Amino acid sequence: MSIRLGCIADDYTGASDLANMLRQNGLRTVQTIGVPRPSLELPDVDAVVVSLKSRSIAADRAVTLSLEAETWLRDRGAEHVLFKICSTFDSTDEGNIGPVIDALRERAGGATVLVNPAFPETGRSVFEGYLFVNGVPLHESPLKDHPLNPMRDSNLVRVLGRQSATPVALIPFAVVEQGVEAVREALAKARTAGAGAAIADAVAARHLDVLGQAALSGPVSAGASGLGAGLARALVARDGPSGPAQPSDATRPRPTSGRAAILAGSCSTATRQQIAVAETSGIACLRLDVARMLDSGIDQVVSDALDWARARIELGPVLIASSDHPDAVKAMQSSHGGLAVGHVVEQALAAIAEGLVAAGVDQLVIAGGETSGAVVDRLGLEAFLVGEEIAPGVPVLRVTGAQHADLSMALKSGNFGGEQFFTRALSMLG
Ligand SMILES: Nc1ncnc2c1ncn2[C@@H]1O[C@H](COP(=O)(O)OP(=O)(O)OP(=O)(O)O)[C@@H](O)[C@H]1O
Ligand SMILES: O=C(O)[C@@H](O)C(=O)CO
């Protein structure tokens, strides 16, 4: 297999968001979970998105995993590697975006890395280096309350600068508006000035086209799926399309047991609203008792949740959620520690997913990036074929590989999807 574009995603939902975007813009794409084992059979594709769970781990570990993925992708012919980060730039002053960009740049010969997390379809835009979420500066958006990486600074030049070994430049709106050559020149100037990375502005799809073409002149870029779309369009414009849009197994409906479940660990405003709507539309919902898990361990909570689900699963889909209001999350974190709470809840939801699949569930919707990572790892999944789009950033995923190849899934980033997302996803997974 020889690929045209290699991608490393720092979480699993972000990876499927990117895979969806590449597919929609003409690249046959597969999403792998981690670096694939040598004997894993993958279809003939133009792009591979290697999903890591590296967003919220120690920076040195994130670097090691990303470099392993980069080696695998380059060995398969990738001329350009996109490091897929969150469109809301989820990170802390310790990383992991800066350290991974530094390592990928060094590996690829030192050219300044173009960085842009804009995703206009979901309301993320960058202007004068400031990130806006649905028209609100990042630090005023719901991301200011993120359980793992509260985003309190909207200026990405500053945010990335605090995480990086070298200075960070800005390629402002006025330059991007001038087109591809102007952006290439700005990148060259930034390199001469010693900047290892440059935040580029983009507020519309046409800017992502410019950035995609400019980025393709270098070996590495970093951004969200908007930049992925720009790169895909640039590749197709340069080299032409290559065969059918996607391996047919990705879109062919599969026989299903009819058993379906939704698991939500995201505490985002969007997910909490989607849960509320699901509850009123007749889906059986169970709220997990997080305090009980923290006080007495997860086993009894998991076992009770599975008993509850098994009693209902033949009648229709079930929804199990730990999601709570930011005030409740903060209170829990201040008494038990943020990372510890997150880990315990993720492990509980992963164990519930395992039990549900053992009970015959073959349609599974997961809300939240870390939550999705925990579930996918627990199930031992190896790769996904990318199906139809359910909502911007969320495709139908058909499992391929040795484990659970009958499973269809949706991995939803916390903030993605409209109010009816869960019912829409279930109607498309079958
Ligand atoms: N009630 C709760 N109290 C405290 N933490 C919780 C609670 N419910 C879930 N969590 C934790 O909050 C974190 C949510 O992160 P996750 O990445 O799954 O969602 P998200 O951040 O909204 O999604 P994304 O990363 O896709 O934007 C997880 O670590 C999860 O275990
Ligand atoms: O870019 C995004 O917003 C998503 O793909 C994501 O990574 C959220 O976890």
Side-chain angles (χ1 to χ4, degrees), residues 180-202:
V180 180
E181 273 319 311
V183 174
R184 285 194 186 118
E185 272 170 35
L187 281 169
K189 269 193 205 150
R191 184 177 190 175
T192 310
I199 299 287
D201 283 352

Side-chain angles (χ1 to χ4, degrees), residues 3 19 40 44 54 56 71 80 285 348 362 373-374:
I3 59 176
L40 179 65
D44 206 15
S54 59
S56 307
T71 304
H80 185 89
C285 294
D362 59 11

Side-chain angles (χ1 to χ4, degrees), residues 113-381:
V113 175
L114 186 149
V115 183
N116 176 276
F119 187 3
E121 272 179 277
T122 56
R124 277 69 158 157
S125 55
V126 184
F127 184 68
E128 299 298 334
Y130 286 80
L131 178 56
F132 293 83
V133 178
N134 294 321
V136 173
L138 178 66
H139 72 279
E140 292 175 19
S141 78
L143 274 298
K144 71 182 188 313
D145 297 318
H146 191 282
L148 302 177
N149 44 257
M151 300 306 290
R152 303 272 160 79
D153 186 355
S154 305
N155 183 314
L156 299 185
V157 176
R158 278 197 306 251
V159 173
L160 187 58
R162 288 195 291 270
Q163 306 174 19
S164 302
T166 60
V168 175
L170 172 67
I171 304 182
F173 185 77
V175 172
V176 179
E177 278 278 286
Q178 285 169 43
V180 180
E181 273 319 311
V183 174
R184 285 194 186 118
E185 272 170 35
L187 281 169
K189 269 193 205 150
R191 184 177 190 175
T192 310
I199 299 287
D201 283 352
V203 303
R206 70 173 195 283
H207 301 129
L208 293 163
D209 282 334
V210 168
L211 298 185
Q213 286 176 59
L216 205 53
S217 313
V220 180
S221 60
S225 54
L227 183 59
L231 283 163
R233 289 196 287 262
L235 272 167
V236 171
R238 194 191 68 186
D239 304 336
S242 56
Q246 201 60 17
S248 58
D249 281 0
T251 44
R252 192 181 304 136
R254 291 178 170 183
T256 164
S257 68
R259 295 185 198 108
I262 302 159
L263 295 177
S266 165
C267 299
S268 69
T269 310
T271 299
R272 286 183 294 116
Q273 181 62 18
Q274 288 155 352
I275 295 169
V277 169
E279 259 173 331
T280 56
S281 65
I283 294 181
C285 294
L286 176 71
R287 303 274 184 170
L288 294 176
D289 185 342
V290 172
R292 188 173 160 221
M293 286 182 212
L294 292 164
D295 291 342
S296 339
I298 63 171
D299 292 354
Q300 197 55 48
V301 173
V302 169
S303 146
D304 290 352
L306 286 172
D307 287 345
W308 174 90
R310 284 191 212 100
R312 287 165 179 79
I313 201 75
E314 302 295 343
L315 304 174
V318 296
L319 188 161
I320 299 176
S322 67
S323 317
D324 212 339
H325 189 274
D327 293 340
V329 172
K330 268 187 213 140
M332 207 57 81
Q333 290 182 330
S334 61
S335 53
H336 292 82
L339 280 179
V341 179
H343 182 72
V344 167
V345 177
E346 286 165 32
Q347 290 317 305
L349 285 165
I352 292 169
E354 195 176 31
L356 289 172
V357 170
V361 165
D362 59 11
Q363 298 164 50
L364 202 48
V365 180
I366 316 290
E370 295 296 324
T371 308
S372 297
V375 168
V376 167
D377 284 352
R378 178 66 66 100
L379 295 176
L381 307 183

Side-chain angles (χ1 to χ4, degrees), residues 9-66:
D10 68 354
D11 84 342
Y12 296 0
T13 49
S16 63
D17 166 17
L18 175 62
N20 176 53
M21 195 58 107
L22 299 179
R23 169 187 189 265
Q24 287 190 330
N25 285 282
L27 299 185
R28 295 166 304 163
T29 304
V30 70
Q31 173 182 351
T32 68
I33 307 303
V35 172
R37 66 184 157 87
S39 57
L40 179 65
E41 274 184 40
L42 293 173
D44 206 15
V45 287
D46 307 303
V48 175
V49 183
V50 175
S51 337
L52 302 178
K53 197 169 184 277
S54 59
R55 189 175 286 174
S56 307
I57 60 175
D60 56 350
R61 182 79 187 128
V63 166
T64 304
L65 292 172
S66 303

